[in-house]
């Protein structure tokens, strides 16, 4: 194992031999893992929660979920952090609702000496056992390339962005723009935010259609917004090729139905699984990988079958499989 593998092992010279140790049952169990996600409106975060639950159950641990009732609410997540510190869980799996604004909250968790694993959105500050996420730029680039290839490198394009300033949005949209630069025959008509929300995307798409008589392609920064854009297109009896990002079951169903062209696999289930596995392994003094960034995959009508599995029927990877996911 070399530095070039992008696998950094916590604690220095350790090896990935812990699967055997797990099998022996030599470590304590029954830990409680507090799992922080952003909202209940974006299906992606449900996949993270189900993955976390599956991993915890397989390792004889428990989960406690913290979800803001108002989507992506900074004050509410800060309040939930104060609550979780009082409850003193064994460890925390944490997705910040805002990668900058939640840094003081992470520092409070650090001060309370509760280990925390950062998942999905990389926090700008604070100390973490590990980070588990995906390459948002590559997901944006590859999904946009697929759309533009389908359109023959030309056509009128609109971008529906997520939350302005969020890392996932910044990187995915940067990938969209770079793919457009590669295809000078394509014309970007507009780029507007819909904050990763389905209903907002529906409304944004309706407005975009009123201003533009011909839209050939829609680059949506997540699946929920892609589905909202499709609903707007259907309502207006118009057609356009649409892509999303996240690889949710809803997106896979839409790809099967021919409604959605493609989605980038953000793999929230695996992120939830692996983040929770790392949290538990660290508690049990087992080796962990301190950074896993999943490779991009574009889900299309030609390769959706492995993703066409009910969420509650999916299985977490083994630790050995998980440890290899971040290897470039």
């Amino acid at each position: 194992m070399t530095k070039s593998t992008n696998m950094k092992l916590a604690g220095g010279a350790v090896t990935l031999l812990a699967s055997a140790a797990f099998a022996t049952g030599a470590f304590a169990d029954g830990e409680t893992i507090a799992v922080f996600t952003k909202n209940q409106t974006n299906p992606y975060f449900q996949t993270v929660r189900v993955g976390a639950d599956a991993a915890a159950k397989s390792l004889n641990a428990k989960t406690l979920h913290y979800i803001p009732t108002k989507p992506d609410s900074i004050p509410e997540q800060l309040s939930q952090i104060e609550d979780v510190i009082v409850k003193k869980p064994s460890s925390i799996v944490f997705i910040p609702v805002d990668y900058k604004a939640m840094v003081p909250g992470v520092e409070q968790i650090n001060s309370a000496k509760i280990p925390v694993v950062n998942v999905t959105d990389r926090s700008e500050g604070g100390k973490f056992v590990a980070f588990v996420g995906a390459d948002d730029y590559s997901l944006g680039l590859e999904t946009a390339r697929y759309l533009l290839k389908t359109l023959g490198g030309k056509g009128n394009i609109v971008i529906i962005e997520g939350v302005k300033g969020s890392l996932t949005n910044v990187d995915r949209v940067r990938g969209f723009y770079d793919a457009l630069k590669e295809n000078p025959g394509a014309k970007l008509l507009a780029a507007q935010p819909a904050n990763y929300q389905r209903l907002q995307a529906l409304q944004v798409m309706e407005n975009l259609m009123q201003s533009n008589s011909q839209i050939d392609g829609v680059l949506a920064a997540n699946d929920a917004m892609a589905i909202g854009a499709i609903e707007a297109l259907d309502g207006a009896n118009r057609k356009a090729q649409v892509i999303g990002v996240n690889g949710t079951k809803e997106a896979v169903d839409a790809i099967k139905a021919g409604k959605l062209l493609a989605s980038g696999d953000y793999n929230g289930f695996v992120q939830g699984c692996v983040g929770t596995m790392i949290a538990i392994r660290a508690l049990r003094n087992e080796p962990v990988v301190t950074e896993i960034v999943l490779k991009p995959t574009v889900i299309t009508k030609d390769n959706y079958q492995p993703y066409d599995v009910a969420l509650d029927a999916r299985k977490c990877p083994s630790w050995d499989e998980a440890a290899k996911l971040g290897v470039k």
Side-chain angles (χ1 to χ4, degrees), residues 17 40 47 53 78 88 104 110 114 140 148 198-199 216 229 236 267 272 290 306 310 327:
L17 299 175
Q40 300 200 57
T47 68
D53 291 346
L78 284 170
K88 294 187 182 302
N110 293 155
I114 302 171
L148 292 163
R198 179 174 179 159
L199 178 58
D216 303 300
N267 216 330
T290 59
V327 179

Side-chain angles (χ1 to χ4, degrees), residues 133-151:
D135 184 342
D136 287 290
Y137 170 75
S138 294
L139 284 168
L141 180 68
E142 297 301 332
T143 51
R145 280 176 171 169
Y146 187 80
L147 171 75
L148 292 163
K149 181 180 179 182
T150 301
L151 294 175

